[in-house]
Amino acid sequence: MTPPQRQRWLDVACGFCGCACDDLNVDVEGGRIIGIENACESARGSFLAGEVPADKATDFSIVGEPVGYEQAVSRAADLLTEAEAPFIYGLTRMTSEAQCAAVELADRIGGRIDTPAGLFCPALGTPLQQSGVSSCTFGEVRQRADVIVFWQCDPERTHPRFRKRYCPDGSVGPGAGGSRGAFVICVGDPGTKTATKADQVLPVSRGREYEAAGVVRGLIAGHEMGESAVFDQTGVSLAEWKLLAERLRTCHYGVIVCEERQAGLSDWSNRYDAAAVHQLAIDVCNRTRCSVVTLRGPGNPVSAEMVFTWQTGFPCSVDLVAGYPRYGPAEFSLERSIARREADLVVIVGEDWDHGLESICGRLGSVPWILIEDRAWADLPARPAPTIRIRTAAFGVATPGTLFRADGVPLPLPRLLESPFPDAGRVLADMLARVARATPTAGGEP
Amino acid sequence: MSERWWIKGGAVYDPANGVDGEARDLWIEGGKIIDPPADRSAFAPRILDARGLVVMPGGIDIHCHIAGPKVNAGRQMLPETRREPALERRGGFRSGTIGHSPTTFATGYRYAGLGYTTAFDAAIAPLSARHAHLEFANTPCIDKGCFLLMGNNHYVMEAVRDGDSARLRNFMAWLLRAGGGYAPKLVNPGGIENWKRGREGSHTDLESIVDGFDVTPRAILAAAAQASHELQLPHPLHIHCNNLGLPGNWTTTLATMQLLEGMRGHLTHIQFHSYAGGEADETTFGSRVEPLVEYFNAHSNLTVDVGQILFGATTSMTADSAVGHYLSRLAGTRWHSHDIELETGCGVSPIEYKERSVVHAWQWAIGLEWFLLAADPWRIALSTDHPNGGSFTSYPRIIRLLMDSAFRREELEKLPPRVRERTALRSLSREYSLGEICIITRAAPARMLGLAGKGHLGVGADADVTVYAPHGDRELMFQLPRHVLKAGERVIWDGELVGAPEGETLSVAPEYDRGADSGITRWIDEQCSIRAANYGLAVRPE
Ligand code: SF4
Ligand SMILES: [Zn+2]
């Protein structure tokens, strides 16, 4: 017997939070990850978990009965063929390439497709569709920012290496303002770790982000404002807002960091708030430079939006039942579709189970559903049993492909481990091939 | 599937081989044009009876925006423009939406439907190259490639500042390989960096100093053109000049042409760079095509594409963030800006070109002046800078404007008097021939791009062939080709989409001194927020 080969992977990208740190060094031996450098604690855990061993009873199953992969895929294809209104949901813990396969499946079978972003997307659409967006890559933050505003977020907790990796530390290259380091302002809960490291904290009342953004916009535009009204609306004094407005107005390059769906701090389910922050940055841009950096959740959510957009023209919540893409943020959400009986089969693939699904889970039992998922059943929160379950290769460790960082920078994911399970994209393509055989109009090749 | 073909008796336009509408036969095997087979019955081809039809090489778009983050932001920005008409899923073909920037599959189908078989995205940041290539993989029917943005790249500017031509050349070669690019592109060299640093306005002349780098646009242009020349790239440096869209910018454009003396250079969307006028005074806005074209006609080292505008709504998208900001403020529209570290910016905003706007009318006229005053069709390519000046689907309309002077006059009459009375178009009766249209839409772009196997129908050429039914209305004729073959495979047949081959992605891999690699990767590791190992396409060994 040859001793197990030890292999060291350098500069591995991490898909376990929106930071997408790509400087991890990973040691692999005997099909397991045995060492890791540069990862934060949570990433370390995720990498070391690696591929959870196969569990024959639940990896591939039909109504709880263990079956082979072929059988599971065939039965799934049958359900897809029979369904009149299939809904594909998730697409977070997947490579861009697998997401392409998911949108293709929805297109060819004529279904609806959405991501968790759809849950947070009001009828007015994304900030880009409302007001526009001024943004930048993380490297620009490090190189240029001389004012950074953490707007109702706590990256020290949610994106542990963000600040260290991407915020100015006084040792930067030829970029502009950053060489002195940045003045850091925290708008939000003064108790967070991010706030304790800030130069100034504005403890805005919870749920008052929209008003707060409006106050800063007004000050930047030079409007007079009443002191008590401002305090009543935001919980922060006018004088402090004036300081913030002045910093933004006179900086070289301001950056506002917000987090898309940070439970507990802010109600981002209303993206009017997000649009207000973006509008603020655009206002500042009429005087100097200002970008918004939106931190995203774990997995590959930005990629999902990108793939949706280049294949359908819309970033989420797409209905392909009519034979062409229709956009219905909120309207075509999974929850509403099930509630209104507009979905008779649900395929959940690459879902991260961390956000927003609670309201849906209760309804999942009412329709047949297929779970395509890279974790062991036991590791998932309690869910009603799926009609079909297909286990896939573990995202981020056994799924070569593309990961998009929250700022839209694409990164490669290597295959650190060989998986006994197929890639999610492969599963979807196999299902499509079988559907196409049953219904030639769904077509594979033209 | 690539088949054997005998394209029989068509009026063949193959200007690269001196064929101007003569009835000829074409033979195809293995995706290439071949010599007539010795034994025709043994060859057993499919026969395409082209008698009475016009046969040309497939069209080549030398400058458009069809992939990557900028285009995707444009797609996402205006959902209200994407409702109608949508592209329905049909047979094995994918569905899509159109808007100002069609979705990827729709882009491929539409190009093919127009008789085009090759297109180049003109502005990809190397940092986003992987994204662009993912979109290319979803863009069927055409061969495609991208030009990589280098004009505000910090490494480039440092090498230029240090006068280190070897370092610059090695880096440009490394970048083209890392990003799977086809040519180097400069957009507003130095000007985007200045804009990111908060410089008011975007006006940069060739002698302006780029803050923090102690270089001038002139130095960047000269050094990058020289490096492109030394690398023997098939397409020379692709240049979006400084001061796009600004009144009076023609002097910058002329100075740029002059500094390229003795070197090849391609000036893109030249229409946007040929303006008279002083700052903030609309009444002085006008055309300065004449002095530019005079210089251009006398200097065969230069090529241009036009960037014609058409009236109607579209989306402006550019690496030139300053332009994006200027346009959106002017019109009060949605605005997207995205600064990309070490490399470039990006600006996207909707725009509507209106006939009654003096500035827009001038832009329309200026593009046509270029087409009609440029003496040598081999050095001018048809483009709209899709979607900036208008959609690529409006190329047939431009062709009609060039071929039909009566139609052109009618259109000119609709413009504000101030423009129609002053533009050189009034006295230009030139009409393009079919052979000349074939040059500016395929033969010339192929030559500019150094694509030896494209833009002609000689033996060994790629069997990318478009067959048109002649029609007095040239717009109709070019809108609906009868048949299109891509590498010998049927894509359009009897006007219908019947096939969607993947098409190839075209890139270059210039030779350079590999000893430079470690210095480049060290620089990226230090300066960039991603590791050099993950930069560009970052193809890792499996
Ligand atoms: S901060 Fe995020 S991306 Fe970086 S190592 Fe931790 S989990 Fe991974
Ligand atoms: Zn362009």
Side-chain angles (χ1 to χ4, degrees), chain A residues 13-24 38-44 46-47 155 158-162 165-166:
Chain A
C14 171
F16 298 116
C17 87
C19 269
C21 303
D22 70 330
D23 61 342
L24 278 55
N38 295 340
C40 70
E41 271 316 302
S42 95
R44 167 178 294 275
S46 299
F47 273 98
T158 57
H159 296 75
R161 297 182 70 215
F162 177 80
R165 268 174 68 76
Y166 307 122

mmCIF file of all heavy atoms in Angstrom, chain A residues 13-24 38-44 46-47 155 158-162 165-166, ligand 1:
data_model
loop_
_atom_site.group_PDB
_atom_site.id
_atom_site.type_symbol
_atom_site.label_atom_id
_atom_site.label_comp_id
_atom_site.label_asym_id
_atom_site.label_seq_id
_atom_site.Cartn_x
_atom_site.Cartn_y
_atom_site.Cartn_z
ATOM 1 N N ALA A 13 -9.716 29.889 -2.732
ATOM 2 C CA ALA A 13 -10.801 30.814 -2.422
ATOM 3 C C ALA A 13 -11.810 30.142 -1.498
ATOM 4 O O ALA A 13 -12.059 28.951 -1.592
ATOM 5 C CB ALA A 13 -11.490 31.255 -3.706
ATOM 6 N N CYS A 14 -12.379 30.969 -0.607
ATOM 7 C CA CYS A 14 -13.315 30.447 0.390
ATOM 8 C C CYS A 14 -14.727 30.930 0.051
ATOM 9 O O CYS A 14 -14.968 32.123 -0.118
ATOM 10 C CB CYS A 14 -12.912 30.948 1.772
ATOM 11 S SG CYS A 14 -14.127 30.597 3.047
ATOM 12 N N GLY A 15 -15.655 30.005 -0.018
ATOM 13 C CA GLY A 15 -17.026 30.343 -0.391
ATOM 14 C C GLY A 15 -17.966 30.386 0.807
ATOM 15 O O GLY A 15 -19.173 30.307 0.637
ATOM 16 N N PHE A 16 -17.413 30.524 2.022
ATOM 17 C CA PHE A 16 -18.284 30.383 3.183
ATOM 18 C C PHE A 16 -18.764 31.691 3.785
ATOM 19 O O PHE A 16 -19.504 31.704 4.761
ATOM 20 C CB PHE A 16 -17.612 29.482 4.224
ATOM 21 C CG PHE A 16 -17.378 28.094 3.673
ATOM 22 C CD1 PHE A 16 -16.100 27.596 3.509
ATOM 23 C CD2 PHE A 16 -18.450 27.318 3.251
ATOM 24 C CE1 PHE A 16 -15.891 26.335 2.978
ATOM 25 C CE2 PHE A 16 -18.249 26.057 2.708
ATOM 26 C CZ PHE A 16 -16.961 25.563 2.565
ATOM 27 N N CYS A 17 -18.352 32.826 3.238
ATOM 28 C CA CYS A 17 -19.040 34.084 3.489
ATOM 29 C C CYS A 17 -18.754 34.972 2.293
ATOM 30 O O CYS A 17 -17.928 34.625 1.466
ATOM 31 C CB CYS A 17 -18.619 34.740 4.811
ATOM 32 S SG CYS A 17 -17.178 35.808 4.719
ATOM 33 N N GLY A 18 -19.403 36.098 2.177
ATOM 34 C CA GLY A 18 -19.270 36.900 0.966
ATOM 35 C C GLY A 18 -17.906 37.531 0.756
ATOM 36 O O GLY A 18 -17.658 38.155 -0.272
ATOM 37 N N CYS A 19 -17.000 37.396 1.734
ATOM 38 C CA CYS A 19 -15.660 37.965 1.600
ATOM 39 C C CYS A 19 -14.849 37.279 0.514
ATOM 40 O O CYS A 19 -13.989 37.887 -0.102
ATOM 41 C CB CYS A 19 -14.886 37.781 2.895
ATOM 42 S SG CYS A 19 -15.051 39.139 4.004
ATOM 43 N N ALA A 20 -15.064 36.003 0.352
ATOM 44 C CA ALA A 20 -14.331 35.212 -0.631
ATOM 45 C C ALA A 20 -12.827 35.424 -0.523
ATOM 46 O O ALA A 20 -12.148 35.670 -1.514
ATOM 47 C CB ALA A 20 -14.824 35.514 -2.046
ATOM 48 N N CYS A 21 -12.307 35.317 0.677
ATOM 49 C CA CYS A 21 -10.851 35.356 0.855
ATOM 50 C C CYS A 21 -10.252 34.289 -0.063
ATOM 51 O O CYS A 21 -10.742 33.166 -0.111
ATOM 52 C CB CYS A 21 -10.486 35.025 2.300
ATOM 53 S SG CYS A 21 -11.269 36.102 3.505
ATOM 54 N N ASP A 22 -9.191 34.660 -0.776
ATOM 55 C CA ASP A 22 -8.639 33.657 -1.709
ATOM 56 C C ASP A 22 -7.175 33.386 -1.408
ATOM 57 O O ASP A 22 -6.410 33.045 -2.286
ATOM 58 C CB ASP A 22 -8.818 34.117 -3.162
ATOM 59 C CG ASP A 22 -7.924 35.291 -3.517
ATOM 60 O OD1 ASP A 22 -7.619 36.092 -2.617
ATOM 61 O OD2 ASP A 22 -7.515 35.392 -4.683
ATOM 62 N N ASP A 23 -6.821 33.521 -0.134
ATOM 63 C CA ASP A 23 -5.421 33.322 0.251
ATOM 64 C C ASP A 23 -5.261 32.142 1.199
ATOM 65 O O ASP A 23 -4.314 32.063 1.964
ATOM 66 C CB ASP A 23 -4.892 34.597 0.916
ATOM 67 C CG ASP A 23 -5.678 34.950 2.172
ATOM 68 O OD1 ASP A 23 -6.799 34.438 2.354
ATOM 69 O OD2 ASP A 23 -5.163 35.742 2.990
ATOM 70 N N LEU A 24 -6.237 31.224 1.181
ATOM 71 C CA LEU A 24 -6.163 30.102 2.100
ATOM 72 C C LEU A 24 -5.210 29.030 1.562
ATOM 73 O O LEU A 24 -5.174 28.775 0.357
ATOM 74 C CB LEU A 24 -7.561 29.485 2.305
ATOM 75 C CG LEU A 24 -8.462 30.182 3.324
ATOM 76 C CD1 LEU A 24 -8.629 31.660 3.024
ATOM 77 C CD2 LEU A 24 -9.827 29.510 3.394
ATOM 78 N N ASN A 38 -4.709 30.658 7.231
ATOM 79 C CA ASN A 38 -5.309 31.956 6.890
ATOM 80 C C ASN A 38 -6.832 31.995 6.991
ATOM 81 O O ASN A 38 -7.427 33.043 6.786
ATOM 82 C CB ASN A 38 -4.925 32.431 5.478
ATOM 83 C CG ASN A 38 -3.440 32.710 5.360
ATOM 84 O OD1 ASN A 38 -2.775 32.916 6.374
ATOM 85 N ND2 ASN A 38 -2.927 32.702 4.152
ATOM 86 N N ALA A 39 -7.471 30.883 7.283
ATOM 87 C CA ALA A 39 -8.936 30.902 7.361
ATOM 88 C C ALA A 39 -9.379 31.495 8.694
ATOM 89 O O ALA A 39 -8.683 31.377 9.704
ATOM 90 C CB ALA A 39 -9.478 29.492 7.218
ATOM 91 N N CYS A 40 -10.554 32.125 8.694
ATOM 92 C CA CYS A 40 -11.153 32.514 9.961
ATOM 93 C C CYS A 40 -11.742 31.260 10.609
ATOM 94 O O CYS A 40 -11.809 30.200 9.993
ATOM 95 C CB CYS A 40 -12.230 33.575 9.747
ATOM 96 S SG CYS A 40 -13.697 32.917 8.928
ATOM 97 N N GLU A 41 -12.184 31.409 11.850
ATOM 98 C CA GLU A 41 -12.669 30.233 12.585
ATOM 99 C C GLU A 41 -13.798 29.512 11.857
ATOM 100 O O GLU A 41 -13.818 28.293 11.753
ATOM 101 C CB GLU A 41 -13.133 30.645 13.987
ATOM 102 C CG GLU A 41 -12.030 30.615 15.015
ATOM 103 C CD GLU A 41 -11.155 29.360 14.907
ATOM 104 O OE1 GLU A 41 -11.708 28.252 15.002
ATOM 105 O OE2 GLU A 41 -9.933 29.503 14.689
ATOM 106 N N SER A 42 -14.757 30.299 11.336
ATOM 107 C CA SER A 42 -15.928 29.635 10.762
ATOM 108 C C SER A 42 -15.540 28.915 9.471
ATOM 109 O O SER A 42 -16.013 27.820 9.186
ATOM 110 C CB SER A 42 -17.068 30.634 10.565
ATOM 111 O OG SER A 42 -17.079 31.140 9.264
ATOM 112 N N ALA A 43 -14.629 29.520 8.716
ATOM 113 C CA ALA A 43 -14.201 28.857 7.491
ATOM 114 C C ALA A 43 -13.416 27.594 7.822
ATOM 115 O O ALA A 43 -13.567 26.556 7.173
ATOM 116 C CB ALA A 43 -13.344 29.795 6.660
ATOM 117 N N ARG A 44 -12.591 27.692 8.843
ATOM 118 C CA ARG A 44 -11.808 26.529 9.256
ATOM 119 C C ARG A 44 -12.721 25.329 9.499
ATOM 120 O O ARG A 44 -12.504 24.242 8.991
ATOM 121 C CB ARG A 44 -11.024 26.889 10.524
ATOM 122 C CG ARG A 44 -10.386 25.746 11.271
ATOM 123 C CD ARG A 44 -9.615 26.289 12.471
ATOM 124 N NE ARG A 44 -8.505 27.095 12.016
ATOM 125 C CZ ARG A 44 -7.315 26.570 11.683
ATOM 126 N NH1 ARG A 44 -7.105 25.283 11.794
ATOM 127 N NH2 ARG A 44 -6.354 27.353 11.258
ATOM 128 N N SER A 46 -15.734 24.878 8.356
ATOM 129 C CA SER A 46 -16.394 24.417 7.127
ATOM 130 C C SER A 46 -15.440 23.600 6.266
ATOM 131 O O SER A 46 -15.828 22.588 5.686
ATOM 132 C CB SER A 46 -16.900 25.613 6.320
ATOM 133 O OG SER A 46 -17.834 26.347 7.069
ATOM 134 N N PHE A 47 -14.188 24.047 6.169
ATOM 135 C CA PHE A 47 -13.237 23.300 5.348
ATOM 136 C C PHE A 47 -12.908 21.948 5.976
ATOM 137 O O PHE A 47 -12.868 20.927 5.298
ATOM 138 C CB PHE A 47 -11.941 24.100 5.157
ATOM 139 C CG PHE A 47 -11.995 25.039 3.993
ATOM 140 C CD1 PHE A 47 -12.288 26.379 4.163
ATOM 141 C CD2 PHE A 47 -11.763 24.568 2.702
ATOM 142 C CE1 PHE A 47 -12.347 27.245 3.083
ATOM 143 C CE2 PHE A 47 -11.807 25.438 1.608
ATOM 144 C CZ PHE A 47 -12.100 26.775 1.808
ATOM 145 N N PRO A 155 -19.476 43.600 10.174
ATOM 146 C CA PRO A 155 -18.657 42.604 9.472
ATOM 147 C C PRO A 155 -17.703 41.845 10.381
ATOM 148 O O PRO A 155 -17.364 40.698 10.081
ATOM 149 C CB PRO A 155 -17.891 43.435 8.432
ATOM 150 C CG PRO A 155 -18.114 44.858 8.773
ATOM 151 C CD PRO A 155 -19.353 44.931 9.586
ATOM 152 N N THR A 158 -19.957 38.999 10.901
ATOM 153 C CA THR A 158 -20.501 38.257 9.757
ATOM 154 C C THR A 158 -19.460 37.970 8.681
ATOM 155 O O THR A 158 -19.577 36.996 7.946
ATOM 156 C CB THR A 158 -21.630 39.065 9.099
ATOM 157 O OG1 THR A 158 -21.121 40.357 8.715
ATOM 158 C CG2 THR A 158 -22.794 39.255 10.045
ATOM 159 N N HIS A 159 -18.480 38.841 8.556
ATOM 160 C CA HIS A 159 -17.448 38.688 7.512
ATOM 161 C C HIS A 159 -16.094 38.939 8.162
ATOM 162 O O HIS A 159 -15.487 39.989 7.961
ATOM 163 C CB HIS A 159 -17.697 39.673 6.364
ATOM 164 C CG HIS A 159 -18.976 39.432 5.628
ATOM 165 N ND1 HIS A 159 -20.209 39.762 6.151
ATOM 166 C CD2 HIS A 159 -19.217 38.872 4.419
ATOM 167 C CE1 HIS A 159 -21.154 39.415 5.288
ATOM 168 N NE2 HIS A 159 -20.579 38.874 4.234
ATOM 169 N N PRO A 160 -15.660 37.965 8.969
ATOM 170 C CA PRO A 160 -14.578 38.209 9.931
ATOM 171 C C PRO A 160 -13.303 38.808 9.347
ATOM 172 O O PRO A 160 -12.637 39.588 10.010
ATOM 173 C CB PRO A 160 -14.295 36.820 10.501
ATOM 174 C CG PRO A 160 -15.524 36.021 10.228
ATOM 175 C CD PRO A 160 -16.168 36.603 9.013
ATOM 176 N N ARG A 161 -12.939 38.471 8.126
ATOM 177 C CA ARG A 161 -11.657 38.973 7.625
ATOM 178 C C ARG A 161 -11.816 40.202 6.725
ATOM 179 O O ARG A 161 -10.847 40.699 6.169
ATOM 180 C CB ARG A 161 -10.913 37.857 6.894
ATOM 181 C CG ARG A 161 -10.552 36.687 7.824
ATOM 182 C CD ARG A 161 -9.770 35.612 7.087
ATOM 183 N NE ARG A 161 -8.426 36.045 6.732
ATOM 184 C CZ ARG A 161 -7.801 35.675 5.618
ATOM 185 N NH1 ARG A 161 -8.405 34.885 4.746
ATOM 186 N NH2 ARG A 161 -6.584 36.106 5.374
ATOM 187 N N PHE A 162 -13.044 40.695 6.602
ATOM 188 C CA PHE A 162 -13.270 41.809 5.665
ATOM 189 C C PHE A 162 -12.401 43.008 5.997
ATOM 190 O O PHE A 162 -11.696 43.547 5.153
ATOM 191 C CB PHE A 162 -14.751 42.219 5.659
ATOM 192 C CG PHE A 162 -15.014 43.404 4.773
ATOM 193 C CD1 PHE A 162 -15.133 43.235 3.397
ATOM 194 C CD2 PHE A 162 -15.098 44.695 5.286
ATOM 195 C CE1 PHE A 162 -15.342 44.322 2.563
ATOM 196 C CE2 PHE A 162 -15.304 45.786 4.453
ATOM 197 C CZ PHE A 162 -15.423 45.598 3.095
ATOM 198 N N ARG A 165 -8.573 42.458 5.607
ATOM 199 C CA ARG A 165 -8.106 42.248 4.228
ATOM 200 C C ARG A 165 -8.355 43.435 3.309
ATOM 201 O O ARG A 165 -7.567 43.697 2.413
ATOM 202 C CB ARG A 165 -8.808 41.012 3.635
ATOM 203 C CG ARG A 165 -8.050 39.729 3.831
ATOM 204 C CD ARG A 165 -8.844 38.532 3.370
ATOM 205 N NE ARG A 165 -9.058 38.472 1.915
ATOM 206 C CZ ARG A 165 -8.136 38.104 1.038
ATOM 207 N NH1 ARG A 165 -6.925 37.784 1.437
ATOM 208 N NH2 ARG A 165 -8.408 38.061 -0.249
ATOM 209 N N TYR A 166 -9.476 44.102 3.502
ATOM 210 C CA TYR A 166 -9.893 45.053 2.458
ATOM 211 C C TYR A 166 -9.984 46.500 2.923
ATOM 212 O O TYR A 166 -10.324 47.372 2.129
ATOM 213 C CB TYR A 166 -11.234 44.622 1.866
ATOM 214 C CG TYR A 166 -11.265 43.185 1.384
ATOM 215 C CD1 TYR A 166 -12.177 42.271 1.891
ATOM 216 C CD2 TYR A 166 -10.365 42.755 0.411
ATOM 217 C CE1 TYR A 166 -12.204 40.959 1.442
ATOM 218 C CE2 TYR A 166 -10.384 41.442 -0.040
ATOM 219 C CZ TYR A 166 -11.307 40.551 0.476
ATOM 220 O OH TYR A 166 -11.326 39.258 0.031
HETATM 221 S S1 SF4 C 1 -13.854 35.761 6.269
HETATM 222 FE FE1 SF4 C 1 -15.357 34.663 5.060
HETATM 223 S S2 SF4 C 1 -14.335 34.212 3.131
HETATM 224 FE FE2 SF4 C 1 -12.744 34.805 4.621
HETATM 225 S S3 SF4 C 1 -12.046 32.862 5.457
HETATM 226 FE FE3 SF4 C 1 -13.690 33.597 6.799
HETATM 227 S S4 SF4 C 1 -15.572 32.653 5.988
HETATM 228 FE FE4 SF4 C 1 -13.992 32.453 4.429
#
